[in-house]
Amino acid sequence: MSAVSHEPHSMGDVLGELDELAANHDEVRVADVLDDFGARSFGPFIMIPAVLEITPVGGIPGVPTVLALFIALIAVQLLIGRDHVWMPQFVQRRAVGSKKLHKAVGKLKGMADFLDRHSKGRLEGLTKGTAIKLVAAVIIALCCTVPPLEFLPFASTIPMLAIAVLGLALTVRDGALLLGSLLFAGLATALGLVTYFGSSGEGSAIPFL
């Protein structure tokens, strides 16, 4: 598996690359995306599955949890300081039909334009070093809230939206956006927990904790 010399630096870049892959293949494998973005592109590999969960794909039972596990795998690597993305072969072989991917990209372009207009690469120093480990830990914590929230219609979109913005902040190296997304992540976690416990008649605990 070879890495290309460029990395995406905006959400528009990420969606554009995905759209191009969809145009050139009948189906797009995870390995194709890894080759295209480069093995050091942690940000896009955190952002892409989170953004996909926000689309109608996230309404398919089991998909939010699978996407959360995928994101957590990437975040753990970021937390322990790996300098490139590693994925097992069975994950790399996973694929999505090009027509479905193209349709999903089209639905997200408006949001991408909005987010790119408000991310300027500010306070870039906050997207390096120790701060990255904090972001990774927050992402893992958000991923842990997804499985129980999946029992409620589209409730898992709350933490996934926070993860998507964190992934964008890493991609565009915008420290100011990163700080704002960390605050949003805290609010999203609180809202997700309130949503979950509020839906339980007995206030039962999160199943896997």
Side-chain angles (χ1 to χ4, degrees):
M1 182 175 59
S2 61
V4 294
S5 59
H6 73 280
E7 295 180 12
H9 295 294
S10 70
M11 190 170 178
D13 286 349
V14 171
L15 295 182
E17 293 289 341
L18 290 176
D19 210 21
E20 185 173 346
L21 284 172
N24 295 328
H25 299 80
D26 292 330
E27 61 178 19
V28 178
R29 300 174 304 154
V30 172
D32 297 327
V33 181
L34 186 59
D35 282 342
D36 195 65
F37 286 163
R40 297 179 185 273
S41 299
F42 282 91
F45 280 98
I46 289 170
M47 179 174 65
I48 291 169
V51 167
L52 287 176
E53 198 279 340
I54 297 170
T55 70
V57 171
I60 301 173
V63 167
T65 294
V66 171
L67 292 174
L69 289 172
F70 180 89
I71 294 168
L73 172 64
I74 303 301
V76 166
Q77 295 178 58
L78 199 57
L79 181 64
I80 64 178
R82 287 185 63 90
D83 62 358
H84 65 278
V85 176
W86 172 86
M87 296 181 197
Q89 287 298 319
F90 78 89
V91 172
Q92 293 192 40
R93 289 193 294 267
R94 301 293 295 179
V96 62
S98 295
K99 290 183 178 180
K100 289 182 178 180
L101 181 59
H102 178 73
K103 185 176 180 180
V105 167
K107 290 180 179 295
L108 293 168
K109 284 184 175 178
M111 181 175 71
D113 291 341
F114 173 81
L115 291 173
D116 286 343
R117 285 197 303 270
H118 294 84
S119 56
K120 307 294 184 182
R122 299 155 294 188
L123 302 176
E124 189 173 329
L126 294 179
T127 63
K128 303 175 182 178
T130 304
I132 293 296
K133 295 184 183 297
L134 172 60
V135 172
V138 170
I139 290 171
I140 293 168
L142 287 168
C143 287
C144 290
T145 69
V146 171
L149 287 176
E150 190 177 343
F151 291 102
L152 307 176
F154 294 101
S156 58
T157 297
I158 299 169
M160 282 298 202
L161 180 58
I163 291 170
V165 179
L166 286 166
L168 174 63
L170 293 176
T171 300
V172 302
R173 297 176 177 85
D174 188 329
L177 179 61
L178 189 63
L179 288 175
S181 56
L182 285 172
L183 177 60
F184 178 72
L187 293 173
T189 301
L191 181 58
L193 291 173
V194 167
T195 301
Y196 176 76
F197 287 116
S199 69
S200 173
E202 299 178 359
S204 58
I206 295 176
F208 60 94
L209 291 182

